[in-house]
Amino acid sequence: MKKIKRLTVIYFALAAILAVIAVTFAAYTRLSSAKRVVTVKGTEQLFTSDVLMEYQQDSQIQTRVLSFGEEEKVFSITVSNHLQGDKTKYDTKNIPYTLKVELLDADGKSVTDSNVYSMLSVNGTSMASNPVSISDQVLNGVEAKDIMYTFRFDSEIMNYRIKITAETTRSEYKSLGRVISITTNSAATDWSGSFIDAEKTAVDANKELGIINYKISGQTEGDYVLSWDSARVEIDKWCLEKMTSTKPAKNDNNNIESVELHLGAENTPKQYLITFYRTYAEQDLNEDWNTISKYINFQKK
């Protein structure tokens, strides 16, 4: 009888242990399942900008420094509904948002003097308040879309900073923002174009010139136009693709082809060497360097 009682006690003890194990395993399974749900990849950010960066808290907004020489004080940003650099990935739904612009002093405080903040204009309109909000902006989901905003300012506010944010009501997307710090760079040079000295020397020595290399260089950001006489020279397509995706436009009346270039942006080259091929046998024409140097032209837009 005592033996039977001991077996009974052992049986119930084992049953209790198995019950605890079962409950623990079930709890572990639910927890693991919950973890899998939490770690599922979130929505891809298709609310983007070429200048503004994603942020969650105001303190996370990054600063970008723009240097200006003596030229017009102007810069632009775009807000987009697609991945930067890939317009095939865009949001097929509308993205409504509000763009907010605020002029800050050196201490990061909002400027209250209307005589100061009115020196800053957005898309040609001077700021009538500080900050100013441009609401009812919509990126239409029909296609990849970029909306550009152009900022102009006077030299008097060079020591101030411009805070720009874009906030959408689409909860799956983070806000975009950047603080633009403006500095004067007396060493910054405007873009200019020049030929290679060795090629001029070759022509002056009556040597044949099968290709013409043209160098453009500079530091300040701006828009320029490169043009050439297509009856005399043809631009190397690979060189052109390094600078822009824009296709050249041709004037049939005078054989001049041209392309608009935006140069000097952040993280882009400060110099390009462009190769032009002759479109005729160079020995067929009696050219001096003065004639050849007129085949290619580079100037500010």
Side-chain angles (χ1 to χ4, degrees):
M1 182 64 70
K2 290 183 179 180
K3 184 176 181 180
I4 294 174
K5 288 182 179 180
R6 284 198 299 270
L7 290 175
T8 301
V9 171
I10 293 173
Y11 171 81
F12 282 110
L14 289 175
I17 292 171
L18 290 174
V20 171
I21 292 174
V23 171
T24 303
F25 180 77
Y28 173 80
T29 302
R30 287 195 301 272
L31 181 59
S32 298
S33 177
K35 286 183 177 181
R36 286 196 296 270
V37 172
V38 170
T39 56
V40 170
K41 184 179 179 181
T43 302
E44 192 170 30
Q45 178 91 9
L46 296 177
F47 179 51
T48 64
S49 169
D50 60 340
V51 174
L52 309 183
M53 308 291 290
E54 301 171 24
Y55 75 94
Q56 290 181 313
Q57 299 178 5
D58 213 54
S59 59
Q60 297 175 335
I61 298 178
Q62 300 180 31
T63 298
R64 175 176 176 180
V65 179
L66 294 183
S67 298
F68 294 88
E70 298 302 321
E71 77 283 357
E72 183 182 19
K73 310 299 187 295
V74 57
F75 67 93
S76 298
I77 70 165
T78 60
V79 178
S80 313
N81 66 345
H82 59 81
L83 292 181
Q84 292 297 305
D86 186 358
K87 289 191 174 184
T88 64
K89 295 182 179 179
Y90 65 91
D91 196 316
T92 57
K93 298 180 181 179
N94 291 352
I95 303 179
Y97 68 95
T98 297
L99 188 84
K100 183 178 178 181
V101 182
E102 185 175 12
L103 187 65
L104 307 176
D105 61 19
D107 296 324
K109 297 179 180 179
S110 184
V111 175
T112 57
D113 189 344
S114 61
N115 293 320
V116 176
Y117 61 69
S118 62
M119 295 181 186
L120 173 64
S121 68
V122 185
N123 288 348
T125 302
S126 296
M127 289 182 60
S129 61
N130 190 45
V132 62
S133 294
I134 306 175
S135 55
D136 300 326
Q137 304 294 286
V138 179
L139 292 162
N140 195 302
V142 175
E143 60 183 353
K145 181 74 173 178
D146 300 297
I147 298 181
M148 178 180 288
Y149 302 89
T150 301
F151 300 80
R152 285 183 170 82
F153 54 93
D154 295 341
S155 299
E156 286 80 358
I157 64 170
M158 289 292 288
N159 294 325
Y160 293 84
R161 294 184 292 168
I162 305 171
K163 180 181 176 182
I164 309 169
T165 60
E167 184 176 350
T168 177
T169 54
R170 293 275 297 275
S171 60
E172 67 269 35
Y173 289 145
K174 297 179 182 178
S175 297
L176 307 174
R178 206 76 181 259
V179 173
I180 304 299
S181 180
I182 309 164
T183 64
T184 301
N185 185 1
S186 58
T189 58
D190 204 359
W191 283 75
S192 61
S194 62
F195 291 90
I196 305 301
D197 291 338
E199 295 177 357
K200 179 181 183 300
T201 302
V203 172
D204 291 342
N206 295 319
K207 294 182 179 179
E208 296 176 354
L209 195 63
I211 62 174
I212 301 174
N213 290 294
Y214 192 77
K215 181 177 71 174
I216 59 174
S217 59
Q219 295 180 339
T220 57
E221 186 172 359
D223 295 309
Y224 300 82
V225 177
L226 176 67
S227 58
W228 58 94
D229 186 346
S230 61
R232 300 298 185 215
V233 294
E234 178 184 1
I235 192 170
D236 183 279
K237 299 298 189 297
W238 183 75
C239 292
L240 183 61
E241 289 173 357
K242 287 197 300 181
M243 297 184 293
T244 180
S245 59
T246 303
K247 302 298 181 183
K250 185 173 183 179
N251 188 329
D252 294 328
N253 294 328
N254 53 16
N255 295 315
I256 299 298
E257 288 193 37
S258 62
V259 64
E260 296 183 2
L261 303 172
H262 185 78
L263 304 171
E266 187 179 28
N267 299 322
T268 60
K270 303 303 179 185
Q271 176 177 299
Y272 296 93
L273 186 63
I274 311 164
T275 299
F276 288 86
Y277 300 102
R278 310 298 289 271
T279 55
Y280 56 89
E282 61 273 7
Q283 65 269 21
D284 290 347
L285 293 176
N286 183 19
E287 303 170 302
D288 58 16
W289 182 253
N290 184 56
T291 301
I292 294 175
S293 64
K294 294 179 180 178
Y295 294 161
I296 303 168
N297 184 56
F298 177 76
Q299 61 185 9
K300 196 163 188 176
K301 183 178 176 182

